[in-house]
Amino acid sequence: LAVHMAATSPDRIWPAASWQALLTTVLNEVPSLGIVALGSDNDFSLDKLGIHSPRTWCLVGKLDLLHTAAALAQCDLLVGPDSGLLHVAAAMQTPYIGLFGMADPATRLPLTGNNRALWPDIECRGCLRELPPQAAPRCRLGHAACMDQVTEAGVRAEIYATLATILPDHWQTKAALALGQSLSEPTSSTRGNLDGAMSAYARNDRDEALRLLLLAIEDEPENPL
C-alpha cells in the first residue's frame, strides 16, 4: 500500500490525526500488508505521525519523480489526496483511492476500473468551480471542512475492498516483468539480489527479502527499478 499524505493546497490535505489512525489500524488488522510513504520534504512522514513498524518504508523527500513512479508501479494501491501523484499512479496502472473535497473528482481524474474517489456529502463540496482560474484554492470556511468529513473508517473500507480484488503477491509479478523491461538493465549482482529477494518473500522470509532488496539498492542507487 502506497500513501501520499499531502497536496499542494493546504485545504486539500487530510488531517494528520486521520492518517495516523488509518495506518495504525491497517497495520494491526492486515499483518501481511506493507506500507510505503511517498511525497516531498513538506509532506507528512511516518516519523511525524509516530508510525514505526518493520512493515513500513518512508521514502518521503528521498525520491525524484522517476523513482517515485517506479515505486508506485510496484505497489498494489495508492491512497492520497487530490494531487499529482494520483496522475502518476494512473500512468503506472496502479489503482488509487483519491480523497477529494474542494474539487469534483469527475473533473479531475477518470474514475474507471479499480480507481475510487471519496467525496464527502457536504453542502459546499466542489467549491473550486466557483473560484477564478488564478485564485488560490482556499476554503471559504477558513479550514478544510470537506476533508474533515472524510472518515478513517470510510477510507479503510475502500482500501480493503480494493485490495480484495487484487491477486495475492501481485507485486512480485510486476517486479519480474519490470526486470525485463527496465531502461537501465540491472547488473548480474543486482539481478541476483532481486531474484533472491522475491524467492525469500515467497517462502515468507521477510527479513531476508528486505536485506537483499536493500543490497540491490546499494549496488545501483541510480537505477529506477
Side-chain angles (χ1 to χ4, degrees), residues 135-196:
R138 294 297 172 86
C139 176
R140 67 190 184 202
L141 300 179
H143 66 290
C146 48
M147 299 304 291
D148 291 343
Q149 298 295 316
V150 178
T151 67
E152 180 271 336
V155 177
R156 184 158 33 94
E158 291 291 342
I159 290 174
Y160 294 166
T162 303
L163 291 179
T165 68
I166 297 172
L167 293 174
D169 297 329
H170 181 55
W171 73 269
Q172 292 188 75
T173 302
K174 292 196 290 185
L177 290 172
L179 283 173
Q181 298 173 356
S182 175
L183 295 177
S184 180
E185 183 66 19
T187 65
S188 59
S189 173
T190 300
R191 181 179 291 275
N193 284 327
L194 289 170
D195 289 343

Side-chain angles (χ1 to χ4, degrees), residues 4-44:
H4 175 223
M5 300 181 285
T8 303
S9 168
D11 287 332
R12 294 182 193 169
I13 297 176
W14 203 35
S18 298
W19 280 114
Q20 183 182 46
L22 173 72
L23 300 185
T24 299
T25 302
V26 167
L27 285 169
N28 288 334
E29 292 185 349
V30 190
S32 62
L33 189 67
I35 294 175
V36 180
L38 302 170
S40 64
D41 290 327
N42 295 326
D43 298 345
F44 296 141

Side-chain angles (χ1 to χ4, degrees), residues 57-135:
W57 195 5
C58 191
L59 298 177
V60 174
K62 297 181 180 180
L63 303 181
D64 59 19
L65 181 59
L66 181 61
H67 287 79
T68 298
L72 277 173
Q74 304 308 315
C75 293
D76 289 323
L77 175 65
L78 168 69
V79 180
D82 175 19
S83 73
L85 275 198
L86 295 187
H87 296 267
V88 177
M92 295 296 101
Q93 298 184 347
T94 296
Y96 60 79
I97 297 172
L99 311 181
F100 285 81
M102 298 182 70
D104 182 346
T107 68
R108 306 289 285 186
L109 293 174
L111 301 176
T112 58
N114 267 357
N115 303 323
R116 303 167 187 244
L118 290 177
W119 197 31
D121 187 12
I122 183 174
E123 178 272 332
C124 57
R125 72 177 188 172
C127 64
L128 197 63
R129 63 179 176 270
E130 301 173 5
L131 297 176
Q134 302 303 319

